[in-house]
Amino acid sequence: MQQIPLSGRNPVFQDTLNVKPHLLILNKMDLADLSNRQRILKKLEKVGMGNVLFTDCLRQRDENIKKLLPMVLQIIENKPRFNREESSDYCLMVIGVPNVGKSSLINSLRRTNLKKGRASRVGGEPGITKAVLTKIQVCERPMMYLLDTPGVLPPKIESVETGMKLALCGTILDHLVGEDIMADYLLYSLNRLGKFSYMEKYDLQAPSDDIHHVLKHIAVKLRKTQRVKAFTGLGNITVTIPNYTAAAYDFIRAFRKGELGQVMLD
Ligand SMILES: Nc1nc2c(ncn2[C@@H]2O[C@H](COP(=O)(O)OP(=O)(O)OP(=O)(O)O)[C@@H](O)[C@H]2O)c(=O)[nH]1
Ligand SMILES: [Mg+2]
């Protein structure tokens, strides 16, 4: 995924990739700040990821989606086909961490190459594709199929920071990490990168590194408040307090939609 081109890769896949011809697709290009594209490409090349393509599957017509199959054909040209030497069709597999747009990519390829509709279900949370699906045709000449697979995270996540980045990009179910902690990491990242569009979006006067202050602002602006009963020495009273979790969720959702600007977390 674009915002996490390094953290968003499952190192366990690397072994498989070393024996099979492969192309690394960095999707969700619309959400990423690509001003440092060369730095990322260099780092990827060092770990054997020389073939990289940036895509945006939400765009009706994406030039890079058009380049994908010709690139694949070039990569597999003259490669041994082992037991499949006789067959003229190709079967590719799309693998990656959850929610990066693997199924969307298959649908985009079908739309672009075959003018056909969706074949794989897509959704805004991890775990939409639950099993390796039957192969889906994405090209006629040559006959090419793609196997969609469920997103897989590495069994052990390298560091807390990598975990937070993966969570922010929706590869882990939010409630397993906690929206409040994720919002705090998001604010820290935006400030570190000098991406202050959150101020304008939520009517803040100045940047802040105090997540409670920011979430309170968001809650009040979005009217995400809750009335709770408080017991005082003078009796029971009802007070209105900000709904921090709802505010945190809105903050994260805005980031994922690109409403806080294009960001590169890695
Ligand atoms: N902004 C943006 N969103 C995208 C892009 N491609 C896919 N999405 C969205 O990302 C979400 C996940 O897409 P899927 O195609 O279901 O992702 P997946 O990798 O198949 O996910 P799993 O099956 O859960 O592993 C959906 O809400 C898509 O609409 C893109 O290029 N840009
Ligand atoms: Mg999927």
Side-chain angles (χ1 to χ4, degrees):
M1 192 188 296
Q2 281 293 331
Q3 296 143 300
I4 46 168
L6 308 172
S7 314
R9 299 195 47 244
N10 183 343
V12 179
F13 289 152
Q14 189 74 43
D15 300 337
T16 326
L17 291 181
N18 285 341
V19 290
K20 296 271 183 196
H22 54 269
L23 169 63
L24 175 67
I25 294 161
L26 292 174
N27 188 39
K28 305 203 182 182
M29 187 171 172
D30 52 311
L31 300 179
D33 177 0
L34 289 178
S35 47
N36 250 330
R37 182 193 293 236
Q38 287 309 323
R39 178 181 63 91
I40 298 292
L41 286 176
K42 266 194 193 136
K43 281 199 174 171
L44 288 169
E45 200 166 354
K46 268 194 192 153
V47 291
M49 287 287 152
N51 299 313
V52 182
L53 188 67
F54 298 89
T55 57
D56 173 358
C57 288
L58 291 196
R59 216 186 284 168
Q60 195 62 23
R61 286 168 160 272
D62 180 35
E63 284 307 310
N64 285 359
I65 293 281
K66 276 193 194 154
K67 290 185 197 156
L68 199 153
L69 294 183
M71 253 176 114
V72 166
L73 285 172
Q74 202 184 357
I75 294 167
I76 57 182
E77 203 182 24
N78 303 325
K79 289 266 185 332
R81 300 206 73 194
F82 304 107
N83 57 339
R84 292 173 39 83
E85 208 159 335
E86 306 289 293
S87 57
S88 57
D89 60 340
Y90 296 93
C91 189
L92 318 174
M93 194 174 208
V94 52
I95 57 175
V97 298
N99 202 37
V100 288
K102 298 178 295 301
S103 304
S104 304
L105 177 77
I106 293 182
N107 293 335
S108 279
L109 282 169
R110 273 172 69 84
R111 192 170 62 223
T112 308
N113 294 323
L114 300 174
K115 312 274 175 277
K116 284 194 176 160
R118 282 180 170 196
S120 196
R121 201 162 78 83
V122 162
E125 55 192 75
I128 293 291
T129 309
K130 293 194 167 48
V132 176
L133 303 182
T134 49
K135 53 186 195 178
I136 300 167
Q137 191 193 347
V138 291
C139 185
E140 209 155 73
R141 249 181 261 160
M143 196 59 101
M144 216 180 256
Y145 300 93
L146 258 167
L147 268 182
D148 198 2
T149 65
V152 182
L153 280 172
K156 191 164 183 278
I157 293 169
E158 193 184 306
S159 67
V160 175
E161 191 132 14
T162 302
M164 291 313 295
K165 291 177 188 175
L166 285 165
L168 273 185
C169 293
T171 67
I172 305 171
L173 288 171
D174 295 337
H175 70 267
L176 297 180
V177 181
E179 286 87 349
D180 303 30
I181 294 173
M182 285 160 65
D184 198 7
Y185 184 76
L186 175 58
L187 181 63
Y188 156 78
S189 303
L190 294 174
N191 287 336
R192 179 175 61 87
L193 296 166
K195 300 271 175 186
F196 299 123
S197 8
Y198 69 86
M199 281 168 48
E200 199 184 323
K201 172 147 177 77
Y202 295 118
D203 301 339
L204 279 138
Q205 300 299 319
S208 166
D209 58 5
D210 178 352
I211 189 64
H212 282 104
H213 171 71
V214 173
L215 291 183
K216 201 189 292 174
H217 237 273
I218 298 176
V220 172
K221 180 173 162 71
L222 303 178
R223 302 208 179 139
K224 292 193 186 292
T225 50
Q226 51 193 169
R227 289 159 73 78
V228 290
K229 281 208 170 98
F231 304 102
T232 70
L234 300 170
N236 295 346
I237 56 163
T238 307
V239 287
T240 304
I241 59 161
N243 184 339
Y244 285 105
T245 305
Y249 183 68
D250 193 84
F251 192 37
I252 297 164
R253 185 204 52 79
F255 163 72
R256 288 180 182 157
K257 288 221 147 182
E259 292 168 12
L260 305 180
Q262 292 179 312
V263 177
M264 170 65 71
L265 292 174
D266 274 339

